[in-house]
Amino acid sequence: GAVVSQHPSWVICKSGTSVKIECRSLDFQATTMFWYRQFPKQSLMLMATSNEGSKATYEQGVEKDKFLINHASLTLSTLTVTSAHPEDSSFYICSASGGGEQFFGPGTRLTVL
Amino acid sequence: AQTVTQSQPEMSVQEAETVTLSCTYDTSESDYYLFWYKQPPSRQMILVIRQEAYKQQNATENRFSVNFQKAAKSFSLKISDSQLGDAAMYFCACYQTGANNLFFGTGTRLTVIP
């Protein structure tokens, strides 16, 4: 199957700083990528849909100014958590859409101190 | 609005036995896909099986099969000959083609007893 990578796999930052997470489709072009958030022992919650060359579509309750998404190319989408706070600590997962199937990255664990 | 419901937070099965995980969904679209994903402790999402809504035949993948009841909006997963490596969180998901979004159920934690 297709491979999706995420970088970094784990990041620790101070409260008030911004953190950028990258999602790359390594062997296919993805016009659409999805960003999810997963709290411990809970399901994946869709945050936003990222479309190449256009603005992301955010789910209800997700602050677009706090979670900035950029999908500048067919193989890269980035999620920037701006002015991070401890409550933003979570596991962030991206997926890339290809051929009617979703390919998931390994996730990024964000810890905000 | 789209919802995916998994009513079994936890399930257990004896090794080599069969277990069925339940999932119901609700979507207003006619074109959609249904998935079962497995999430082991590594947290990497692994596709178990996929079903196109327009197909009547139930999908199968080796020991994994589904019972897709479109009218009832039910999509259960059957795991036959359960193995220790099957222990994980299992998520049911629905992808709406028109809305281009993928939503997950709350998950079922499967324990396999040796």
Side-chain angles (χ1 to χ4, degrees):
Chain A
V3 178
V4 175
S5 70
Q6 275 184 250
H7 178 79
S9 57
W10 194 3
V11 57
I12 302 173
C13 69
K14 292 183 179 180
S15 184
T17 61
S18 294
V19 174
K20 180 186 284 188
I21 302 170
E22 293 185 349
C23 176
R24 293 182 184 272
S25 56
L26 299 183
D27 49 5
F28 69 104
Q29 294 183 328
T31 55
T32 302
M33 290 184 175
F34 300 93
W35 286 97
Y36 296 87
R37 183 174 181 175
Q38 186 179 31
F39 290 108
K41 298 185 179 181
Q42 293 189 23
S43 185
L44 282 71
M45 183 191 76
L46 180 63
M47 300 175 64
T49 302
S50 170
N51 296 298
E52 188 266 337
S54 63
K55 291 183 178 180
T57 303
Y58 289 82
E59 294 302 311
Q60 193 172 9
V62 178
E63 300 175 59
K64 59 182 66 177
D65 293 331
K66 180 165 187 63
F67 298 99
L68 300 179
I69 291 173
N70 183 278
H71 195 157
S73 77
L74 289 172
T75 59
L76 174 64
S77 176
T78 61
L79 168 68
T80 301
V81 183
T82 62
S83 186
H85 291 282
E87 58 264 30
D88 298 324
S89 298
S90 188
F91 193 69
Y92 293 86
I93 303 175
C94 74
S95 73
S97 180
E101 194 169 326
Q102 299 296 323
F103 301 97
F104 287 83
T108 297
R109 183 181 303 280
L110 170 63
T111 301
V112 184
L113 302 176
Chain B
Q2 177 194 35
T3 60
V4 180
T5 303
Q6 293 178 249
S7 59
Q8 306 153 316
E10 295 184 351
M11 290 284 285
S12 62
V13 61
Q14 205 77 32
E15 193 176 3
E17 296 296 312
T18 297
V19 65
T20 298
L21 308 184
S22 302
C23 173
T24 58
Y25 63 94
D26 189 19
T27 176
S28 57
E29 294 201 11
S30 59
D31 187 13
Y32 57 92
Y33 295 77
L34 298 166
F35 303 89
W36 277 98
Y37 285 94
K38 171 183 177 181
Q39 188 181 42
S42 68
R43 305 190 80 168
Q44 172 71 59
M45 298 293 285
I46 301 168
L47 176 65
V48 175
I49 199 164
R50 145 187 165 163
Q51 174 84 43
E52 292 89 340
Y54 64 85
K55 288 187 177 180
Q56 293 184 338
Q57 187 173 10
N58 289 325
T60 62
E61 281 290 337
N62 301 313
R63 298 183 295 108
F64 300 89
S65 62
V66 299
N67 184 4
F68 175 43
Q69 301 291 325
K70 191 170 183 178
K73 294 187 176 178
S74 170
F75 183 62
S76 62
L77 173 70
K78 185 171 82 171
I79 306 175
S80 304
D81 185 25
S82 298
Q83 300 176 359
L84 295 177
D86 294 334
M89 280 292 290
Y90 285 81
F91 293 100
C92 177
C94 178
Y95 173 73
Q96 298 183 124
T97 308
N100 192 26
N101 54 25
L102 176 67
F103 286 92
F104 287 82
T106 50
T108 297
R109 180 173 298 282
L110 178 67
T111 301
V112 180
I113 303 167

